[in-house]
Amino acid sequence: MEPQQVREVLRCILHTIMFNRALGLVRPRDIDSELFEKITYVQCGDATYEKLVEEKIDHLIAWVEKHPNKKSQVCLSFYETRNKHVAWFSNKVERLYWEQWWIYLNVIQPTHMRSRASHERPIDSSEEERSKRHAILEAELRDVLLQILQFVNEKKDHIPAVGNTDVVSFPYEIAIPSSSDSSFGDMFKRMLQTGPPTMLS
Amino acid sequence: MASGVSHSEWATTNHIVTEFFTKSSHIILESRIPNLIVQRQGGAITSPSSSSSLSGLKPRQKWFNLVLSDCPTALQVAEPWRTNISKPMVIDVLLLQTRARRAEVHGASGVPRGTVLMQTHSTGHDASIAEGPTDSASSEEESVVKTILERWIIWFDTQKKSNTFDTSDKKTEGLNVHSPMSGGWETTTVRVALELPSVYKKTVILLRYLYSIMRALPTHHLFRLANSYSESCNFSLDFRVSTVASPLSQSDELAMTPISLTPVETRWGKICLSVAYRHAAAVTALEVISPIQPRIITDYVIRPTTDPLRRFSGCSPVGSLHTGGLSGRREVHVVSVPSGSPSSPPVPYLLHRHSWSEDKLQPALQIPLSILPSSCPTGESLPGIENFNVQHSAPTQRPSFQSRQLPTTPLLHNDEQDVGIQPIILQDNYRFSPSPPTNLHHKDRSFKGPSSAPVRMQRHGFWTRETSPKPNRSLLPPQSPQRTSTGSSFQGTSSKSRFQMGQMQDWHGPSFGRNTSERPSSSNIAELKMLNLPPNTYNIYQFSMQVAADKKVEERLSFHSKSFYPPRPTLNSLRSASKSSSEDNLEEEFTFPFAVEEDEADEHHGRNEITGLLEPLYPSASTSQSQAAAVGALVRILKSASPLRQSASLSVISMPSHRDKPSVYHIHRGHGRITEISGGLGSEGPQVGSEGISASDMKSSKKQITQFQIQGKTHKTTFDALEELHGYQELKEFLQRQSGQNPVSEL
């Protein structure tokens, strides 16, 4: 996808996931995608989450600009905190991720696309190619949303009990590649440190 | 105790299931049927997206932690399942495409119609939710193409394999899991929580999923289109709620994809939800084709260049349609030209406010214009007049006028007063005086034009520059080329028309004077033959009359008519009624080069001309019935016409005394006034002199007047008018000097 499409794609996916996992009192809000004509996603109405999503998207876009034509991932994780007694006098808050959503992105710079198109096809068809890619991306995004919903539908038992009355019932985090190259490595370390999610009853 | 706990749990579970039915139906209907959301006070639509606090919510809205907008329809739909959850709820989302434009497909209540078929329930209030379309619908529904887009089925499956009253809070059931070790599928036992909080949590998630997938399915795009183009959409979305899923056709089954949502287990059953939706490709094919619907433009200003006949192609009754659920509270206005029903709304440009007749057209509004072209083949035959025919409605007062295939030129219909200049004139002249052939076509006196028309017609043949009001000219098509062409041909056709008029008048018997008296028997024949005249001929004649712009020609023709068509007694009655207007119109002098009334020789010559014209023209009209014959006759007349100059001078001097109304102003040397004196120059002198003027003075003034009149009659231009004015000024000064008053320099 192109850089200008990243924001809208991430919005659709992240908000769709969160709406299905925000089990608090929600007043849903339908958002018609500005970029994709036939896609409508639902927001849960939590201002904090919306703000966080926009920040993370901005950071990702900045990272993509610094690392053009590199694959990137966005991870939306839901966890619950547990106090783990590491030692006698220290407590460590442990996060138990019970659900993680990985979103893989392949952002292609327009210049690269144009140069590629120039080699393969005349420049006049770049717009046509662009529209085709846009349509393909829209279809893929729709498929991704349906897949998300399918997962939401199939897996319900692992979701922990609702502990508060907030809109977003469970703690969450959104991980994106940081400016440093080792950001993804840090993410892997964190994943290895934490155990697999338990099947909460 | 255990039974009490189970009973309470059963009640709670039952309550959850009941609310689940309500909530799910609410989500489905709200996401598929437009305009279901109730507007709050102030006009603001209650939308879930409002950031208002959640404190003022009703308890029912807080169920499943999903706050939705108020939807009474959804509540009504789910009402039967509040008392009985054993039956499934089948919600069909239908696409209604009105192929044939009929009257209301659904009721006028504005509420989206849906059908609730409670085949096993007998709840009266439920069955009255909607009287929407059924399989045994009326003929109107048959014209609506229904396509099922989605089928949602909600049911509570109470079939249990285990003991219903199992008090354990967990349930073991087999779950097939793929084992990487063995490479096959193994069955492991999983303990499923059945306590109420878990059940409730899962139903919350299920409804979240339902809400999301409603926006992800292809049908949602149609819903957005219906919401966006509610008034111009040619389709609508409707729903149908029933307890039995009607069998789908094979094509529908192939086009739809089923999705079974993971049921929510409870101790007393499973809360199940499934959907069969139409593929994206199939839905795309059903999308809006033309968002723009034809509308009546009430303030449309018709231009003569417009082809009105095009508007009548494919006419269908006008009406506003309430189309289905889209609809619900909106109307899809499908408007077209009425097909002749008097109760139908008037045609757009019937409502057009013409300058000539706004009120007079009102009665004609009921008459569809579609009749006009068909009933006026003459108009259709002449391209120039075609527009005239359509522009102006056929007045109701003269239905026969239309039926007799008279060309409906604008001057004929647009204003009764103005119409009187043409058709009325003709008509009246037909009756009272020598008249154009039009009169022979319709003897219908229902059309009542101004009585001044026949007087005018008698004097001038058709309107003069003064008598033809500007609106009348505006009635003429601004198609200057046509007018010009017609006007240019007017010179050639004027005589033809004149002689047509003459022959008509001649045919009319005694009213036509000596000519007719000599030929009483021919009048009837002429009348009959005139009726058989080719419409084209008549149209040319009439049209040429309308386009008469050359005053000289008008003068000639009017004088000719005057000479040949002495007034009948009945005409006086009309004259008296319209004396004021008619006398005002008889102010000008006209030179009638072809007028032979003043001169017996000329009159006889004219009569012979007319007589001669009768035979060649009349037979030709009866035989050939073509415009060429009329033109040929006119050419012959022109060739045999006497010179203009001599006739003009002669006509002025030798005005017959038996004339009642000379078309000149006589300056009265009475009290310094310029008055109109009726009567001829010679015979009515004593009448003029009744105000006490000496005879010598009268004679001298008469000579002056006579000379002036001669000059004025020949060339009536602006320059002449100015000269005339100066003459009047001199005369006034002379009169004032005579009377001893100070001369007035200017009149």
Side-chain angles (χ1 to χ4, degrees), chain A residues 19-20 22-30 32 37-40 42 146 149 152-154 156-157 159-160 201, chain B residues 48-50 52-54 57 65-67 201-202 205 208-209 211-213 215-216 220-221 224 261-262 284 287:
Chain A
F19 175 73
N20 287 276
L23 303 183
L25 188 60
V26 169
R27 188 188 293 268
R29 184 167 60 187
D30 297 346
D32 297 329
E37 181 182 359
K38 297 184 179 180
I39 290 181
T40 300
V42 185
L146 289 174
L149 295 176
V152 168
N153 173 45
E154 293 177 353
K156 299 188 189 71
D157 297 329
I159 299 174
S201 61
Chain B
S49 61
S50 62
S52 60
S53 62
L54 304 176
L57 295 175
N65 290 339
L66 190 62
V67 180
K201 179 186 68 178
K202 292 177 181 178
I205 297 171
R208 292 283 201 276
Y209 166 80
Y211 193 94
S212 300
I213 202 169
R215 275 95 185 133
H220 184 71
H221 183 61
R224 287 174 57 185
L261 282 68
T262 303
T284 303
E287 285 184 1

Short mmCIF file of all heavy atoms in Angstrom, two decimals, chain A residues 19-20 22-30 32 37-40 42 146 149 152-154 156-157 159-160 201, chain B residues 48-50 52-54 57 65-67 201-202 205 208-209 211-213 215-216 220-221 224 261-262 284 287:
data_model
loop_
_atom_site.label_atom_id
_atom_site.label_comp_id
_atom_site.label_asym_id
_atom_site.label_seq_id
_atom_site.Cartn_x
_atom_site.Cartn_y
_atom_site.Cartn_z
N PHE A 19 -13.49 -2.48 18.92
CA PHE A 19 -14.94 -2.47 19.15
C PHE A 19 -15.43 -3.83 19.61
O PHE A 19 -16.36 -3.94 20.42
CB PHE A 19 -15.67 -2.03 17.89
CG PHE A 19 -17.16 -2.11 17.99
CD1 PHE A 19 -17.86 -1.20 18.75
CD2 PHE A 19 -17.86 -3.12 17.34
CE1 PHE A 19 -19.24 -1.27 18.86
CE2 PHE A 19 -19.24 -3.20 17.44
CZ PHE A 19 -19.93 -2.27 18.20
N ASN A 20 -14.83 -4.86 19.10
CA ASN A 20 -15.24 -6.20 19.46
C ASN A 20 -14.64 -6.68 20.79
O ASN A 20 -15.03 -7.73 21.30
CB ASN A 20 -14.88 -7.20 18.36
CG ASN A 20 -15.77 -7.05 17.14
OD1 ASN A 20 -16.86 -7.60 17.07
ND2 ASN A 20 -15.30 -6.28 16.18
N ALA A 22 -14.03 -4.21 23.31
CA ALA A 22 -14.44 -3.25 24.33
C ALA A 22 -15.84 -3.64 24.79
O ALA A 22 -16.84 -3.31 24.14
CB ALA A 22 -14.41 -1.83 23.78
N LEU A 23 -15.86 -4.36 25.89
CA LEU A 23 -17.12 -4.92 26.35
C LEU A 23 -17.85 -4.02 27.34
O LEU A 23 -18.89 -4.42 27.89
CB LEU A 23 -16.86 -6.29 26.99
CG LEU A 23 -16.17 -7.31 26.08
CD1 LEU A 23 -16.04 -8.66 26.78
CD2 LEU A 23 -16.90 -7.46 24.76
N GLY A 24 -17.35 -2.82 27.55
CA GLY A 24 -18.05 -1.89 28.42
C GLY A 24 -19.24 -1.27 27.69
O GLY A 24 -19.57 -1.61 26.55
N LEU A 25 -19.88 -0.36 28.39
CA LEU A 25 -21.06 0.30 27.81
C LEU A 25 -20.61 1.18 26.65
O LEU A 25 -19.94 2.19 26.85
CB LEU A 25 -21.77 1.14 28.88
CG LEU A 25 -23.11 1.73 28.46
CD1 LEU A 25 -24.10 0.65 28.07
CD2 LEU A 25 -23.67 2.62 29.57
N VAL A 26 -20.99 0.76 25.47
CA VAL A 26 -20.48 1.38 24.25
C VAL A 26 -21.64 1.98 23.47
O VAL A 26 -22.70 1.36 23.32
CB VAL A 26 -19.73 0.34 23.38
CG1 VAL A 26 -19.44 0.92 22.01
CG2 VAL A 26 -18.44 -0.08 24.05
N ARG A 27 -21.37 3.17 22.96
CA ARG A 27 -22.30 3.78 22.01
C ARG A 27 -21.59 3.76 20.66
O ARG A 27 -20.78 4.63 20.37
CB ARG A 27 -22.64 5.21 22.43
CG ARG A 27 -23.75 5.84 21.58
CD ARG A 27 -23.88 7.32 21.92
NE ARG A 27 -24.37 7.51 23.27
CZ ARG A 27 -25.66 7.64 23.57
NH1 ARG A 27 -26.57 7.55 22.62
NH2 ARG A 27 -26.03 7.84 24.82
N PRO A 28 -21.84 2.78 19.83
CA PRO A 28 -21.07 2.61 18.59
C PRO A 28 -21.24 3.79 17.64
O PRO A 28 -22.28 4.44 17.61
CB PRO A 28 -21.64 1.32 18.00
CG PRO A 28 -23.00 1.20 18.57
CD PRO A 28 -22.96 1.82 19.92
N ARG A 29 -20.19 3.99 16.90
CA ARG A 29 -20.20 5.09 15.93
C ARG A 29 -19.71 4.55 14.59
O ARG A 29 -18.58 4.06 14.48
CB ARG A 29 -19.29 6.21 16.43
CG ARG A 29 -19.29 7.43 15.55
CD ARG A 29 -18.63 8.60 16.26
NE ARG A 29 -17.24 8.29 16.61
CZ ARG A 29 -16.49 9.08 17.35
NH1 ARG A 29 -16.98 10.20 17.83
NH2 ARG A 29 -15.25 8.75 17.62
N ASP A 30 -20.55 4.66 13.62
CA ASP A 30 -20.21 4.18 12.28
C ASP A 30 -19.37 5.22 11.57
O ASP A 30 -19.74 6.40 11.51
CB ASP A 30 -21.47 3.89 11.47
CG ASP A 30 -22.31 2.78 12.09
OD1 ASP A 30 -21.78 2.08 12.97
OD2 ASP A 30 -23.47 2.63 11.69
N ASP A 32 -17.69 5.90 7.92
CA ASP A 32 -17.49 5.53 6.52
C ASP A 32 -16.09 5.93 6.10
O ASP A 32 -15.69 7.08 6.25
CB ASP A 32 -18.53 6.23 5.63
CG ASP A 32 -19.94 5.79 5.97
OD1 ASP A 32 -20.10 4.63 6.40
OD2 ASP A 32 -20.87 6.60 5.83
N GLU A 37 -14.52 3.38 -0.52
CA GLU A 37 -15.93 3.75 -0.66
C GLU A 37 -16.87 2.78 0.03
O GLU A 37 -17.86 3.16 0.63
CB GLU A 37 -16.28 3.83 -2.15
CG GLU A 37 -17.71 4.24 -2.43
CD GLU A 37 -18.02 4.24 -3.91
OE1 GLU A 37 -17.09 3.95 -4.71
OE2 GLU A 37 -19.17 4.52 -4.28
N LYS A 38 -16.56 1.49 -0.04
CA LYS A 38 -17.51 0.50 0.43
C LYS A 38 -17.14 -0.09 1.78
O LYS A 38 -17.57 -1.19 2.12
CB LYS A 38 -17.62 -0.63 -0.60
CG LYS A 38 -18.16 -0.16 -1.95
CD LYS A 38 -18.33 -1.33 -2.89
CE LYS A 38 -18.89 -0.87 -4.23
NZ LYS A 38 -19.08 -1.99 -5.18
N ILE A 39 -16.36 0.61 2.51
CA ILE A 39 -15.94 0.09 3.80
C ILE A 39 -16.42 1.03 4.90
O ILE A 39 -16.21 2.24 4.84
CB ILE A 39 -14.41 -0.09 3.85
CG1 ILE A 39 -14.00 -1.23 2.93
CG2 ILE A 39 -13.94 -0.33 5.28
CD1 ILE A 39 -12.52 -1.51 2.91
N THR A 40 -17.05 0.42 5.85
CA THR A 40 -17.52 1.15 7.03
C THR A 40 -17.05 0.39 8.26
O THR A 40 -17.29 -0.81 8.38
CB THR A 40 -19.05 1.26 7.03
OG1 THR A 40 -19.49 1.94 5.86
CG2 THR A 40 -19.53 2.02 8.26
N VAL A 42 -16.49 0.50 12.68
CA VAL A 42 -17.20 0.96 13.87
C VAL A 42 -16.19 1.34 14.94
O VAL A 42 -15.25 0.59 15.21
CB VAL A 42 -18.15 -0.12 14.40
CG1 VAL A 42 -18.98 0.42 15.56
CG2 VAL A 42 -19.07 -0.63 13.29
N LEU A 146 -13.34 -9.08 7.63
CA LEU A 146 -14.17 -10.27 7.81
C LEU A 146 -13.42 -11.35 8.56
O LEU A 146 -14.01 -12.08 9.38
CB LEU A 146 -14.63 -10.79 6.44
CG LEU A 146 -15.67 -9.92 5.71
CD1 LEU A 146 -15.93 -10.46 4.31
CD2 LEU A 146 -16.97 -9.86 6.49
N LEU A 149 -13.45 -10.51 12.18
CA LEU A 149 -14.75 -10.81 12.76
C LEU A 149 -14.93 -12.31 12.93
O LEU A 149 -15.58 -12.76 13.89
CB LEU A 149 -15.86 -10.23 11.88
CG LEU A 149 -15.90 -8.69 11.78
CD1 LEU A 149 -16.97 -8.24 10.81
CD2 LEU A 149 -16.10 -8.06 13.14
N VAL A 152 -13.15 -13.16 16.00
CA VAL A 152 -13.92 -12.68 17.14
C VAL A 152 -15.09 -13.61 17.44
O VAL A 152 -15.43 -13.88 18.59
CB VAL A 152 -14.42 -11.25 16.88
CG1 VAL A 152 -15.45 -10.83 17.90
CG2 VAL A 152 -13.25 -10.28 16.87
N ASN A 153 -15.67 -14.08 16.37
CA ASN A 153 -16.82 -14.95 16.53
C ASN A 153 -16.42 -16.31 17.09
O ASN A 153 -17.12 -16.89 17.92
CB ASN A 153 -17.51 -15.09 15.18
CG ASN A 153 -18.63 -16.11 15.20
OD1 ASN A 153 -19.44 -16.12 16.12
ND2 ASN A 153 -18.66 -16.97 14.22
N GLU A 154 -15.32 -16.83 16.62
CA GLU A 154 -14.96 -18.20 16.98
C GLU A 154 -14.35 -18.31 18.38
O GLU A 154 -14.57 -19.29 19.08
CB GLU A 154 -13.99 -18.76 15.93
CG GLU A 154 -14.63 -18.95 14.58
CD GLU A 154 -13.63 -19.44 13.54
OE1 GLU A 154 -12.42 -19.49 13.87
OE2 GLU A 154 -14.05 -19.75 12.41
N LYS A 156 -14.11 -17.00 21.99
CA LYS A 156 -14.72 -16.16 23.02
C LYS A 156 -14.31 -16.62 24.42
O LYS A 156 -14.35 -15.86 25.38
CB LYS A 156 -16.23 -16.20 22.92
CG LYS A 156 -16.83 -15.69 21.62
CD LYS A 156 -18.34 -15.60 21.75
CE LYS A 156 -18.99 -15.31 20.40
NZ LYS A 156 -18.90 -16.47 19.51
N ASP A 157 -13.94 -17.82 24.51
CA ASP A 157 -13.75 -18.40 25.84
C ASP A 157 -12.50 -17.90 26.52
O ASP A 157 -12.38 -17.99 27.75
CB ASP A 157 -13.71 -19.92 25.76
CG ASP A 157 -15.04 -20.47 25.26
OD1 ASP A 157 -16.07 -19.83 25.54
OD2 ASP A 157 -15.04 -21.54 24.63
N ILE A 159 -11.44 -14.94 26.67
CA ILE A 159 -11.56 -13.54 27.08
C ILE A 159 -11.82 -13.52 28.58
O ILE A 159 -12.72 -14.21 29.08
CB ILE A 159 -12.69 -12.85 26.31
CG1 ILE A 159 -12.38 -12.88 24.79
CG2 ILE A 159 -12.85 -11.42 26.76
CD1 ILE A 159 -13.50 -12.35 23.92
N PRO A 160 -11.08 -12.75 29.26
CA PRO A 160 -11.27 -12.73 30.72
C PRO A 160 -12.54 -12.00 31.10
O PRO A 160 -13.20 -11.37 30.28
CB PRO A 160 -10.01 -12.01 31.22
CG PRO A 160 -9.56 -11.16 30.08
CD PRO A 160 -9.96 -11.90 28.83
N SER A 201 -11.43 -18.62 32.73
CA SER A 201 -12.81 -19.08 32.82
C SER A 201 -13.72 -17.93 33.27
O SER A 201 -13.25 -16.95 33.81
CB SER A 201 -12.93 -20.22 33.81
OG SER A 201 -12.52 -19.78 35.10
N PRO B 48 -26.15 6.95 17.55
CA PRO B 48 -25.28 6.39 18.58
C PRO B 48 -23.96 7.12 18.68
O PRO B 48 -23.23 6.96 19.63
CB PRO B 48 -25.08 4.95 18.13
CG PRO B 48 -26.14 4.70 17.13
CD PRO B 48 -26.42 6.01 16.50
N SER B 49 -23.67 7.91 17.67
CA SER B 49 -22.37 8.54 17.66
C SER B 49 -22.33 9.80 18.50
O SER B 49 -21.31 10.45 18.58
CB SER B 49 -21.96 8.89 16.22
OG SER B 49 -22.90 9.79 15.67
N SER B 50 -23.43 10.17 19.06
CA SER B 50 -23.41 11.39 19.86
C SER B 50 -22.58 11.16 21.10
O SER B 50 -22.53 10.07 21.68
CB SER B 50 -24.83 11.80 20.23
OG SER B 50 -25.44 10.79 21.01
N SER B 52 -23.02 12.34 23.92
CA SER B 52 -23.73 12.67 25.16
C SER B 52 -23.47 11.58 26.18
O SER B 52 -23.08 10.45 25.87
CB SER B 52 -25.22 12.81 24.87
OG SER B 52 -25.73 11.60 24.36
N SER B 53 -23.71 11.93 27.40
CA SER B 53 -23.44 11.00 28.49
C SER B 53 -24.42 9.85 28.41
O SER B 53 -25.51 9.95 27.85
CB SER B 53 -23.56 11.72 29.82
OG SER B 53 -24.90 12.21 29.99
N LEU B 54 -24.01 8.77 29.03
CA LEU B 54 -24.80 7.56 29.00
C LEU B 54 -25.71 7.45 30.20
O LEU B 54 -26.28 6.41 30.46
CB LEU B 54 -23.88 6.34 28.91
CG LEU B 54 -22.90 6.34 27.73
CD1 LEU B 54 -21.98 5.14 27.81
CD2 LEU B 54 -23.65 6.36 26.42
N LEU B 57 -29.82 7.05 29.80
CA LEU B 57 -30.28 5.96 28.96
C LEU B 57 -31.34 5.14 29.67
O LEU B 57 -31.37 5.04 30.91
CB LEU B 57 -29.09 5.05 28.60
CG LEU B 57 -28.01 5.69 27.73
CD1 LEU B 57 -26.85 4.74 27.56
CD2 LEU B 57 -28.57 6.10 26.39
N ASN B 65 -24.54 -3.91 26.90
CA ASN B 65 -23.58 -2.79 26.85
C ASN B 65 -23.48 -2.19 25.46
O ASN B 65 -22.41 -1.73 25.04
CB ASN B 65 -22.20 -3.26 27.31
CG ASN B 65 -22.18 -3.55 28.81
OD1 ASN B 65 -23.02 -3.06 29.57
ND2 ASN B 65 -21.21 -4.34 29.25
N LEU B 66 -24.60 -2.21 24.76
CA LEU B 66 -24.60 -1.67 23.41
C LEU B 66 -25.77 -0.69 23.29
O LEU B 66 -26.94 -1.10 23.28
CB LEU B 66 -24.75 -2.79 22.38
CG LEU B 66 -24.54 -2.40 20.91
CD1 LEU B 66 -23.12 -1.89 20.69
CD2 LEU B 66 -24.82 -3.58 20.00
N VAL B 67 -25.43 0.56 23.26
CA VAL B 67 -26.45 1.60 23.23
C VAL B 67 -26.79 1.91 21.78
O VAL B 67 -25.92 2.31 20.99
CB VAL B 67 -25.96 2.86 23.96
CG1 VAL B 67 -27.04 3.94 23.92
CG2 VAL B 67 -25.59 2.52 25.40
N LYS B 201 -21.63 -12.36 28.88
CA LYS B 201 -20.46 -11.80 28.22
C LYS B 201 -20.38 -12.27 26.78
O LYS B 201 -20.07 -11.51 25.86
CB LYS B 201 -19.20 -12.22 28.98
CG LYS B 201 -17.91 -11.70 28.37
CD LYS B 201 -16.71 -12.28 29.09
CE LYS B 201 -16.61 -13.77 28.83
NZ LYS B 201 -15.40 -14.36 29.49
N LYS B 202 -20.70 -13.51 26.59
CA LYS B 202 -20.63 -14.03 25.23
C LYS B 202 -21.72 -13.45 24.34
O LYS B 202 -21.51 -13.26 23.13
CB LYS B 202 -20.72 -15.56 25.26
CG LYS B 202 -19.50 -16.21 25.89
CD LYS B 202 -19.67 -17.73 25.96
CE LYS B 202 -18.44 -18.35 26.62
NZ LYS B 202 -18.56 -19.83 26.75
N ILE B 205 -20.41 -10.18 23.23
CA ILE B 205 -19.46 -10.31 22.14
C ILE B 205 -20.17 -10.68 20.84
O ILE B 205 -19.84 -10.20 19.75
CB ILE B 205 -18.39 -11.36 22.50
CG1 ILE B 205 -17.58 -10.91 23.72
CG2 ILE B 205 -17.47 -11.64 21.33
CD1 ILE B 205 -16.66 -11.97 24.28
N ARG B 208 -21.68 -7.68 19.45
CA ARG B 208 -20.65 -6.83 18.87
C ARG B 208 -20.29 -7.32 17.46
O ARG B 208 -20.12 -6.56 16.52
CB ARG B 208 -19.40 -6.85 19.75
CG ARG B 208 -19.54 -6.20 21.10
CD ARG B 208 -19.48 -4.69 20.98
NE ARG B 208 -19.13 -4.06 22.25
CZ ARG B 208 -19.99 -3.79 23.21
NH1 ARG B 208 -21.27 -4.09 23.06
NH2 ARG B 208 -19.57 -3.24 24.33
N TYR B 209 -20.14 -8.61 17.41
CA TYR B 209 -19.82 -9.20 16.13
C TYR B 209 -20.94 -8.93 15.12
O TYR B 209 -20.69 -8.60 13.96
CB TYR B 209 -19.61 -10.71 16.28
CG TYR B 209 -19.60 -11.46 14.98
CD1 TYR B 209 -18.47 -11.48 14.18
CD2 TYR B 209 -20.74 -12.15 14.55
CE1 TYR B 209 -18.46 -12.18 12.99
CE2 TYR B 209 -20.73 -12.84 13.34
CZ TYR B 209 -19.59 -12.85 12.57
OH TYR B 209 -19.59 -13.54 11.38
N TYR B 211 -23.07 -6.50 15.07
CA TYR B 211 -23.07 -5.08 14.70
C TYR B 211 -21.95 -4.80 13.69
O TYR B 211 -22.15 -4.04 12.73
CB TYR B 211 -22.89 -4.21 15.95
CG TYR B 211 -23.17 -2.74 15.72
CD1 TYR B 211 -24.42 -2.20 15.97
CD2 TYR B 211 -22.17 -1.90 15.25
CE1 TYR B 211 -24.68 -0.86 15.77
CE2 TYR B 211 -22.42 -0.56 15.03
CZ TYR B 211 -23.67 -0.05 15.29
OH TYR B 211 -23.93 1.28 15.08
N SER B 212 -20.81 -5.41 13.89
CA SER B 212 -19.67 -5.17 12.99
C SER B 212 -19.90 -5.80 11.63
O SER B 212 -19.59 -5.19 10.58
CB SER B 212 -18.39 -5.71 13.62
OG SER B 212 -18.13 -5.07 14.85
N ILE B 213 -20.42 -7.00 11.64
CA ILE B 213 -20.55 -7.68 10.36
C ILE B 213 -21.68 -7.09 9.53
O ILE B 213 -21.69 -7.21 8.30
CB ILE B 213 -20.75 -9.20 10.57
CG1 ILE B 213 -20.35 -9.94 9.29
CG2 ILE B 213 -22.18 -9.54 10.98
CD1 ILE B 213 -20.25 -11.41 9.43
N ARG B 215 -21.95 -4.10 9.02
CA ARG B 215 -21.28 -3.05 8.25
C ARG B 215 -20.25 -3.60 7.28
O ARG B 215 -19.77 -2.88 6.41
CB ARG B 215 -20.56 -2.05 9.17
CG ARG B 215 -21.47 -0.96 9.67
CD ARG B 215 -22.03 -1.33 11.03
NE ARG B 215 -23.01 -0.32 11.47
CZ ARG B 215 -24.19 -0.63 11.96
NH1 ARG B 215 -24.54 -1.90 12.10
NH2 ARG B 215 -25.02 0.32 12.35
N ALA B 216 -19.94 -4.86 7.43
CA ALA B 216 -18.92 -5.44 6.57
C ALA B 216 -19.51 -6.18 5.38
O ALA B 216 -18.82 -6.39 4.39
CB ALA B 216 -18.03 -6.38 7.38
N HIS B 220 -24.56 -3.61 2.99
CA HIS B 220 -24.48 -2.33 3.70
C HIS B 220 -24.23 -1.18 2.72
O HIS B 220 -24.67 -0.04 2.98
CB HIS B 220 -23.36 -2.37 4.74
CG HIS B 220 -23.27 -1.14 5.56
ND1 HIS B 220 -24.23 -0.80 6.52
CD2 HIS B 220 -22.36 -0.14 5.59
CE1 HIS B 220 -23.90 0.34 7.08
NE2 HIS B 220 -22.77 0.77 6.54
N HIS B 221 -23.59 -1.49 1.63
CA HIS B 221 -23.35 -0.42 0.65
C HIS B 221 -24.66 0.05 0.04
O HIS B 221 -24.85 1.24 -0.19
CB HIS B 221 -22.41 -0.93 -0.45
CG HIS B 221 -22.06 0.10 -1.44
ND1 HIS B 221 -21.38 1.26 -1.09
CD2 HIS B 221 -22.28 0.19 -2.77
CE1 HIS B 221 -21.21 2.00 -2.17
NE2 HIS B 221 -21.74 1.38 -3.21
N ARG B 224 -26.29 2.33 2.42
CA ARG B 224 -25.72 3.68 2.39
C ARG B 224 -26.22 4.45 1.18
O ARG B 224 -26.50 5.65 1.27
CB ARG B 224 -24.20 3.57 2.35
CG ARG B 224 -23.59 3.14 3.67
CD ARG B 224 -22.09 2.92 3.53
NE ARG B 224 -21.40 4.11 3.03
CZ ARG B 224 -20.12 4.16 2.73
NH1 ARG B 224 -19.37 3.07 2.90
NH2 ARG B 224 -19.56 5.26 2.30
N LEU B 261 -22.94 -18.15 13.05
CA LEU B 261 -22.21 -17.60 14.17
C LEU B 261 -22.12 -18.63 15.29
O LEU B 261 -23.00 -19.47 15.47
CB LEU B 261 -22.90 -16.33 14.67
CG LEU B 261 -22.67 -15.06 13.85
CD1 LEU B 261 -23.31 -15.13 12.47
CD2 LEU B 261 -23.19 -13.84 14.59
N THR B 262 -21.06 -18.53 16.01
CA THR B 262 -20.88 -19.45 17.11
C THR B 262 -21.96 -19.22 18.15
O THR B 262 -22.11 -18.11 18.66
CB THR B 262 -19.50 -19.24 17.75
OG1 THR B 262 -18.50 -19.41 16.75
CG2 THR B 262 -19.27 -20.24 18.89
N THR B 284 -23.61 -5.81 -6.23
CA THR B 284 -23.15 -4.73 -7.09
C THR B 284 -24.04 -4.59 -8.30
O THR B 284 -24.31 -3.49 -8.77
CB THR B 284 -21.70 -4.99 -7.53
OG1 THR B 284 -20.89 -5.13 -6.36
CG2 THR B 284 -21.19 -3.84 -8.37
N GLU B 287 -27.13 -2.43 -7.69
CA GLU B 287 -26.98 -1.08 -7.18
C GLU B 287 -27.75 -0.11 -8.04
O GLU B 287 -28.27 -0.41 -9.09
CB GLU B 287 -25.49 -0.71 -7.13
CG GLU B 287 -24.76 -1.37 -5.98
CD GLU B 287 -23.32 -0.91 -5.92
OE1 GLU B 287 -22.94 -0.07 -6.77
OE2 GLU B 287 -22.60 -1.36 -5.05
#
